[in-house]
């Protein structure tokens, strides 16, 4: 609830309070007074509410301020909303998209130019939900490569527009990013195998706090009956784990039999004993290897 309160406090209450405090000054202004909220069009497709209801309420609260205030102060103050057509390179986008997302984004310059164009319009231009690219096209801009982080690279549509979260996640992955908001329907299919079952519990045990305290990328080369390569990313976003090669060079590579792997993560085989007996071979940062034991303890409490 602290995170929910923070989002509502900054986005919704912050917008409302700031507008309230500037209104007396704007009403006295003779130079096209204007409020511009960076909030999305009100798209009530349920897909934009599932998995992140609180965030959507916070952003849509800002958009509802536009609806209400535009009517309340029509003829006196212009009130509009501006939203990007594509993802914008910010710290938030880096967190959501992971490594590789920047090349699919535009810079914040496009929003700045669009905002300037909107704020330059007369007071009767009010109650609009605007998209940055559309605004600039209306101003005669035809070439948008100047705003791209990597000109020519396919761009990622922003949230709350026509794309769904599922398709956004898929596009990110196609271009090398690792979306941390990946919906459950896009998760790798589960199986009844012991390794997949182990990783189901691993995924349920990791979060941003574990990532911050660990900052390691692990690779598991498993042999035996359920052989294969698996990864555990405790370096970016909220963490991720699954089958396949990790994205980037692993800090630690662990090689062991798949049966021993399941025993180790379930608490039936101590990592130290596995290493000393030769059942577990470790290459890379030993400090990172030791940190992994904390995650195993959490999993044991979850009764794997």
């Amino acid at each position: 609830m602290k995170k929910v309160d923070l989002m509502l406090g900054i986005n919704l209450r912050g917008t409302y309070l700031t507008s309230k405090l500037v209104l007396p000054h704007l009403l006295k202004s003779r130079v096209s007074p204007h409020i511009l909220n960076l909030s999305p069009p009100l798209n009530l497709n349920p897909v934009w509410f599932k998995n992140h209801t609180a965030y959507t309420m916070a952003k849509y609260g800002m958009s509802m301020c536009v609806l209400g205030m535009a009517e309340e102060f029509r003829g006196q103050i212009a009130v509009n909303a501006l939203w990007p057509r594509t993802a914008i390179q910010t710290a938030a986008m880096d967190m959501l998209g992971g490594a590789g997302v920047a090349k699919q984004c535009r810079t914040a310059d496009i929003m700045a130019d669009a905002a300037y164009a909107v704020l330059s319009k007369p007071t009767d231009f009010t109650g609009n939900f605007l998209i940055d690219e559309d605004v600039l096209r209306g101003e005669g801009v035809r070439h948008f490569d100047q705003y791209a982080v990597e000109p020519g690279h396919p761009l990622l549509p922003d949230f709350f527009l026509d794309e769904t979260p599922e398709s956004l996640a898929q596009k990110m992955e196609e271009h090398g990013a690792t979306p941390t908001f990946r919906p459950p329907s896009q998760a790798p299919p589960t199986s009844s195998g012991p390794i997949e079952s182990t990783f189901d519990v691993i995924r349920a045990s990791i979060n941003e706090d574990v990532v911050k305290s660990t900052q390691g990328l692990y690779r598991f080369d498993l042999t035996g009956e359920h052989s294969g390569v698996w990864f555990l990313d405790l370096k970016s976003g909220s963490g991720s784990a699954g089958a396949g090669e990790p994205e980037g060079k692993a800090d630690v590579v662990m090689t062991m039999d798949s049966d021993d792997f399941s025993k180790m993560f379930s608490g039936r085989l101590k990592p130290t004993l596995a290493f000393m007996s030769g059942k577990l071979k470790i290459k890379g940062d030993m400090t990172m290897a030791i940190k992994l034991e904390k995650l195993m303890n959490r999993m044991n409490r979850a009764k794997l």
Side-chain angles (χ1 to χ4, degrees), residues 270-272 288-298:
K270 295 295 184 182
T272 302
M288 289 294 177
I290 294 173
K291 285 185 176 182
L292 188 59
E293 190 168 1
K294 293 182 179 180
L295 178 61
M296 296 180 191
N297 292 333
R298 290 186 59 179

Side-chain angles (χ1 to χ4, degrees), residues 23 105 148 152 181 199 251 258 283:
L23 279 171
C105 299
F181 62 91
F199 272 89
D251 298 299
S258 56
K283 292 183 180 180

Side-chain angles (χ1 to χ4, degrees), residues 6-300:
L6 181 64
M7 286 190 292
L8 293 174
I10 292 175
N11 288 287
L12 175 53
R13 188 177 187 277
T15 295
Y16 190 94
L17 177 60
T18 302
S19 301
K20 175 184 182 298
L21 294 177
V22 301
L23 279 171
H25 306 283
L26 291 177
L27 289 170
K28 295 177 183 178
S29 175
R30 298 179 181 178
V31 188
S32 187
H34 206 127
I35 293 175
L36 181 62
N37 291 349
L38 299 185
S39 62
L42 290 167
N43 184 348
L44 296 183
N45 185 334
V47 74
W48 292 116
F49 288 83
K50 72 171 187 178
N51 302 325
H52 41 73
T53 300
Y55 175 73
T56 299
M57 288 194 302
K59 294 305 294 185
Y60 281 13
M62 298 174 66
S63 299
M64 293 173 73
C65 286
V66 172
L67 276 181
M69 294 180 188
E71 287 302 313
E72 184 175 356
F73 299 100
R74 187 173 292 277
Q76 299 172 288
I77 301 171
V79 185
N80 292 293
L82 179 65
W83 195 248
R85 171 80 65 192
T86 71
I88 302 297
Q89 185 186 26
T90 61
M93 198 61 213
D94 290 339
M95 180 189 71
L96 287 171
V101 74
K103 60 187 177 183
Q104 303 176 74
C105 299
R106 285 173 172 163
T107 66
D109 291 345
I110 190 171
M111 287 292 283
D113 290 351
Y116 180 82
V118 174
L119 296 172
S120 299
K121 294 185 180 298
T123 307
D124 59 2
F125 185 79
T126 189
N128 300 291
F129 288 91
L130 306 162
I131 304 299
D132 57 356
E133 186 176 304
D134 296 340
V135 170
L136 294 177
R137 287 188 187 279
E139 297 294 315
V141 178
R142 294 293 179 267
H143 303 289
F144 291 87
D145 273 356
Q146 60 180 312
Y147 298 115
V149 173
E150 185 175 313
H153 195 282
L155 296 170
L156 185 69
D158 207 348
F159 300 99
F160 303 115
L161 302 180
D162 293 335
E163 295 277 349
T164 65
E166 288 83 0
S167 60
L168 290 180
Q170 182 179 357
K171 286 187 177 182
M172 282 185 171
E173 291 173 335
E174 287 174 354
H175 297 291
T178 306
T180 60
F181 62 91
R182 184 175 187 163
S185 61
Q186 289 293 309
T190 59
S191 71
S192 58
I195 305 303
E196 182 60 47
S197 297
T198 299
F199 272 89
D200 284 343
V201 179
I202 292 176
R203 282 187 284 265
S205 302
I206 59 179
N207 53 42
E208 291 182 7
D209 292 334
V210 174
V211 171
K212 289 179 182 179
S213 62
T214 307
Q215 287 296 294
L217 182 59
Y218 302 86
R219 168 178 167 151
F220 305 97
D221 292 342
L222 303 184
T223 60
E225 182 180 358
H226 303 283
S227 61
V229 177
W230 298 75
F231 75 91
L232 173 57
D233 183 356
L234 296 179
K235 185 173 274 188
S236 58
S238 300
S240 59
E245 300 277 352
E247 292 190 3
K249 183 179 179 181
D251 298 299
V252 180
V253 177
M254 295 186 173
T255 304
M256 65 188 312
D257 182 84
S258 56
D259 185 51
D260 289 333
F261 175 84
S262 297
K263 290 178 179 178
M264 188 173 72
F265 272 88
S266 65
R268 291 176 290 150
L269 175 63
K270 295 295 184 182
T272 302
L273 179 60
F275 179 72
M276 295 299 293
S277 64
K279 292 183 177 181
L280 168 63
K281 296 180 180 179
I282 300 176
K283 292 183 180 180
D285 190 332
M286 291 300 295
T287 302
M288 289 294 177
I290 294 173
K291 285 185 176 182
L292 188 59
E293 190 168 1
K294 293 182 179 180
L295 178 61
M296 296 180 191
N297 292 333
R298 290 186 59 179
M299 291 175 59
N300 293 337

